[in-house]
Amino acid sequence: MSADAAGRATIYHNPRCSKSRQALDLLRERGVEPTVVKYLDTPPTVPELRTLISDAGLTVRQAVRVKEAEFTELGLLEASDEELLEAMVAHPRLIERPFVVTGKGTRLARPTSAVEDILGRLGGSP
């Protein structure tokens, strides 16, 4: 889940999501070939997800996709943070995307430009 100053990065990616594809393209344009975690196939654990959300400076509710049908179907409107985290791991489509992690921090790439401040000199950019 982490990255270091040598230019490593990780993206929690959904290839069907345009924002996720844009963030991956941005990393590659900056010379960073990230580790790509297809989180729908390999969801993070509750502790990993909690760390991603916290490190990105978000609340759990800000990191859940409330417009997904599963959010309503599972009755999550009044759910606690812990219940939301459990639901997000069990139903990874509920995880807002994409999260990008570098040695300089973690960001939810919405908008895609949010990744810029954690790129710095990664990948050789000035």
Side-chain angles (χ1 to χ4, degrees), residues 9 26 29-30 33 42 53 57 75 77 81 97 102 106:
L26 175 66
E29 286 168 12
R30 300 297 186 273
E33 185 55 46
T42 310
I53 293 167
L77 188 60
D81 284 357
R97 59 192 176 250
T102 75
T106 301

Side-chain angles (χ1 to χ4, degrees), residues 43-44 70 85-94:
E70 289 153 309
L85 287 167
E86 293 284 345
M88 292 162 78
V89 169
H91 305 273
R93 279 189 298 270
L94 290 171

Side-chain angles (χ1 to χ4, degrees), residues 52-114:
L52 281 171
I53 293 167
S54 173
D55 288 355
L58 301 172
T59 66
V60 173
R61 199 152 291 273
Q62 290 172 316
V64 68
R65 296 179 59 84
V66 298
K67 293 182 181 177
E68 285 292 328
E70 289 153 309
F71 184 85
T72 304
E73 291 165 5
L74 295 169
L76 297 174
L77 188 60
E78 301 296 325
S80 69
D81 284 357
E82 206 56 38
E83 290 167 331
L84 288 174
L85 287 167
E86 293 284 345
M88 292 162 78
V89 169
H91 305 273
R93 279 189 298 270
L94 290 171
I95 301 171
E96 190 61 86
R97 59 192 176 250
F99 277 94
V100 176
V101 181
T102 75
K104 293 182 167 269
T106 301
R107 293 292 180 274
L108 178 61
R110 287 185 166 272
T112 306
S113 60

Side-chain angles (χ1 to χ4, degrees), residues 8-21:
R8 294 192 188 114
T10 300
I11 182 170
Y12 290 80
H13 182 57
N14 177 351
R16 298 182 70 191
C17 171
S18 63
K19 289 290 184 194
S20 195
R21 291 191 309 269

